[in-house]
Amino acid sequence: QFSEKPLVAILILYSFFACITAGSAISTGLVIPMLFIGSIYGRLFAYGLVRWFGVHDRDSYWGWIDPGAISFLGAASFFGGVSRLSMALTVIMIEITGDVEFLLPIMVTVLISKWVGDYLTHPLYHALMEIKCIPFLDTEPVIYKEHNGQDEGERGIADSLELYQARHAMSSPAVVLGLQETVNRLANTLLSTKHGGFPVVRDVVGVERYSGLVSRETIHHLLNQGEPFFLREHDLDKLRDYDKFIVDEPSDVGLPFELLGYVGFKSYLLDEATIRQYAEDPKFNDRYIDLSPYINQSQPTVPTSFSLKRTYIIFRTLGLRHLPVVDVLNRVVGIITRKDLMGFSLEEKVSMLRKAIIRKASCRRSTRTGTMMTTSTGSNSSTQSTTTLAQPNTVPPAPVAAPKEKERTNTLALPSNDWQ
């Protein structure tokens, strides 16, 4: 057995090096370091209990103070607090001991460590994804809004996404492509954007309606086939025989979309020099590619007035990368990606929307107040000028009192303002 000083020293050194190597390309792992660090501080805590209460027999009340058992619970607590596993971790720790009597202590330890960890920060694996800039969506969307009296750096109150719509979170305008696009336009699109997918529209009676979505990799594959694959403008109404572009063997797959997989099309991406050549060469302004066989027509869409919370749930549940937003005429007005649904992005857009609404309401209130003041000033000036013009140089006669019955009738005829 080790005393307290060696355990404290190894805890500090091992924790330091474990934090450095976590998430690196070194095959150190995370499970063993978490178990080791937790067992060390668990044994230190057990030594403190032994020093405080003393050593007792197993039959006494304080016989449960076993440094080995508490060290084991410390390993479970650190593992649960870092990874936020509950059921799986309990089963793992029971399998390590093989003693069912540890079931209840392990369950209590894991639950408490998970609650404390959730209150302080997010899990370690979530933090590693943030370091690698991987957009990760939580199970439930949570955004916060500012409130009156909020201090700087203080978290606001939770806001509900049911109050907002999909158009409030989308990126607009979206870069769209036609069913038959020129090679020059496709190459320029690849050079000028970094998007992973593009909505494809078709012209229906002068209205560009949504037809599907084509990925960036698909455009790379199509441009990579070379000039024999391209169509001229007078050949757009002809069906291209895609089977002759198979380089390995003829494919019996029915859908041309499958040809972009592993059955024959060149699978490497174009370099920037080749794409720039397609974009700058004038002859490719008359070369077309028919995208209709390659678009994903099953790509879901949402209307602009769709609930933002339900949009979030659909996006995360289906594992989407792109979600086009369409209007009532099925025209593409924007697109939603994972980065648009991240917490910081939603809070920023919702905050801008709230400020715009407050600013618009303030302008309406100011306009209404100014109109009322102008009307009141004009009315007073008109009354004053009329009185001045109608006033004679002589003293006016005393006014004749109206009959009481007539006055009562006029008084009764006036509308009451109590209902207002």
Side-chain angles (χ1 to χ4, degrees), residues 20 71 96 211 303 335 339 393:
I20 293 178
S71 174
I96 291 176
S211 182
I335 193 168
K339 293 183 179 180
N393 295 330

Side-chain angles (χ1 to χ4, degrees), residues 7-304:
L7 290 178
V8 172
I10 193 63
L11 177 63
I12 296 175
L13 293 176
Y14 197 89
S15 301
F16 174 75
F17 288 112
C19 294
I20 293 178
T21 59
S24 62
I26 305 174
S27 59
T28 55
L30 296 174
V31 176
I32 299 302
M34 287 188 290
L35 292 176
F36 186 70
I37 293 173
S39 61
I40 291 177
Y41 76 67
R43 182 168 285 273
L44 289 174
F45 180 72
Y47 283 167
L49 292 178
V50 170
R51 286 182 177 276
W52 184 267
F53 297 103
V55 180
H56 299 270
D57 298 333
R58 291 184 177 273
D59 297 333
S60 64
Y61 178 77
W62 299 103
W64 58 270
I65 304 178
D66 184 5
I70 298 179
S71 174
F72 176 75
L73 295 178
S77 67
F78 191 79
F79 198 166
V82 173
S83 63
R84 311 296 163 80
L85 298 176
S86 54
M87 295 294 296
L89 179 58
T90 303
V91 174
I92 291 173
M93 302 307 289
I94 287 295
E95 289 180 352
I96 291 176
T97 59
D99 191 355
V100 186
E101 293 181 356
F102 276 95
L103 178 60
L104 184 59
I106 291 175
M107 291 176 60
V108 174
T109 302
V110 170
L111 287 178
I112 293 177
S113 63
K114 185 179 184 303
W115 290 340
V116 173
D118 289 337
Y119 180 78
L120 295 177
T121 182
H122 43 249
L124 172 64
Y125 301 102
H126 191 171
L128 293 177
M129 286 190 293
E130 288 184 351
I131 293 175
K132 295 182 178 180
C133 298
I134 299 176
F136 175 75
L137 301 180
D138 292 327
T139 306
E140 287 292 333
V142 179
I143 60 175
Y144 297 91
K145 63 180 180 179
E146 299 177 356
H147 60 87
N148 296 331
Q150 177 181 347
D151 297 334
E152 184 178 358
E154 182 184 0
R155 176 175 289 183
I157 59 178
D159 198 1
S160 175
L161 291 184
E162 290 285 0
L163 304 176
Y164 307 98
Q165 300 174 354
R167 59 188 177 90
H168 298 145
M170 68 181 184
S171 298
S172 180
V175 180
V176 298
L177 301 173
L179 282 179
Q180 290 86 24
E181 278 291 349
T182 63
V183 176
N184 182 274
R185 169 75 194 286
L186 294 175
N188 282 317
T189 302
L190 294 179
L191 290 174
S192 60
T193 64
K194 298 295 183 181
H195 307 324
F198 305 93
V200 180
V201 296
R202 68 173 72 229
D203 191 358
V204 180
V205 196
V207 179
E208 293 185 342
R209 301 183 185 274
Y210 174 77
S211 182
L213 189 134
V214 61
S215 65
R216 187 183 188 91
E217 291 79 8
T218 302
I219 299 177
H220 271 278
H221 288 312
L222 294 176
L223 292 177
N224 198 19
Q225 305 312 310
E227 190 168 354
F229 186 78
F230 305 149
L231 295 169
R232 293 183 179 271
E233 187 174 4
H234 55 78
D235 295 331
L236 290 178
D237 55 344
K238 299 180 182 179
L239 181 62
R240 170 66 79 188
D241 186 10
Y242 294 101
D243 288 338
K244 68 180 182 179
F245 292 96
I246 304 300
V247 296
D248 292 336
E249 58 182 2
S251 173
D252 54 355
V253 181
L255 294 177
F257 182 80
E258 299 294 336
L259 301 181
L260 294 179
Y262 302 96
V263 295
F265 268 74
K266 300 177 183 178
S267 59
Y268 55 87
L269 302 181
L270 288 175
D271 56 352
E272 186 176 352
T274 306
I275 299 177
R276 195 170 298 278
Q277 179 183 358
Y278 284 148
E280 296 176 355
D281 197 339
K283 73 175 182 179
F284 292 108
N285 292 332
D286 192 32
R287 301 295 191 275
Y288 291 81
I289 293 182
D290 187 8
L291 299 176
S292 56
Y294 307 104
I295 61 175
N296 182 10
Q297 299 184 9
S298 61
Q299 173 70 34
T301 60
V302 293
T304 55

